[in-house]
Amino acid sequence: MKKTSKVVLFSDVANFTYDKERDVTMILVDNENYLPNILKRLWRLFSRDEIYQPNRYQLELSGNYLELESLVVDDPHSNLQRRIYDAVFRILPEGFKIIKDLSTEDIVCVVATDELIKDAWIEKAHEYIDELNNGK
């Protein structure tokens, strides 16, 4: 997962302005592809009633919220990791109830079995992780 794209910040896909007279932060979305992620993040921070959306590309919030420019809108690394874990747990046989996650920052590694996990399996998993880290 080392080669995933960098995180996308709100300021990367939108322009922010603050109107002092109206006390409103106006957000003009440049990249429509990120609009669902933007709205999802904003709905976590504010109620839907607090976000005025006069058209598809424009959002308005009462108050000065220019600090939202640093909000992470998309994290490809995290998205990929979540999708890999989803695939791993779908592939695991139903009887494999004993699971040990040995994942690191860029490597997903899961040892699973229907019996007790042996130390040799853990050691072998660490060997695979080391091999991947060393690029062999």
Side-chain angles (χ1 to χ4, degrees):
M1 297 192 316
K2 290 179 183 177
K3 295 183 181 183
T4 56
S5 303
K6 300 209 182 287
V7 295
V8 177
L9 299 178
F10 208 164
S11 60
D12 296 335
V13 296
N15 292 311
F16 287 73
T17 54
Y18 174 66
D19 184 350
K20 249 184 187 175
E21 287 181 18
R22 293 178 35 221
D23 189 33
V24 172
T25 301
M26 293 172 288
I27 304 166
L28 184 61
V29 178
D30 293 332
N31 191 333
E32 184 182 358
N33 295 329
Y34 292 99
L35 191 58
N37 289 1
I38 290 169
L39 289 173
K40 200 181 304 180
R41 300 269 189 209
L42 289 177
W43 290 337
R44 285 186 193 149
L45 297 171
F46 306 96
S47 72
R48 290 180 186 226
D49 295 336
E50 292 178 273
I51 303 167
Y52 176 60
Q53 188 175 7
N55 61 51
R56 185 155 180 84
Y57 300 103
Q58 189 176 349
L59 303 167
E60 294 182 3
L61 295 165
S62 292
N64 184 350
Y65 291 102
L66 292 178
E67 73 274 1
L68 289 176
E69 289 179 319
S70 62
L71 185 71
V72 174
V73 174
D74 188 35
D75 184 357
H77 185 275
S78 176
N79 293 342
L80 178 60
Q81 190 174 36
R82 186 173 49 253
R83 291 168 71 192
I84 290 172
Y85 274 116
D86 181 54
V88 166
F89 289 111
R90 286 176 190 260
I91 292 168
L92 280 175
E94 212 172 287
F96 283 29
K97 299 291 184 195
I98 300 174
I99 300 168
K100 181 147 180 95
D101 183 10
L102 301 172
S103 300
T104 63
E105 181 71 24
D106 293 318
I107 298 170
V108 175
C109 180
V110 177
V111 177
T113 183
D114 59 347
E115 54 190 67
L116 291 176
I117 295 176
K118 297 179 181 175
D119 291 336
W121 299 347
I122 301 290
E123 290 171 19
K124 189 66 173 173
H126 283 294
E127 287 176 23
Y128 287 137
I129 291 170
D130 292 340
E131 187 177 318
L132 287 168
N133 278 327
N134 294 329
K136 292 182 181 176

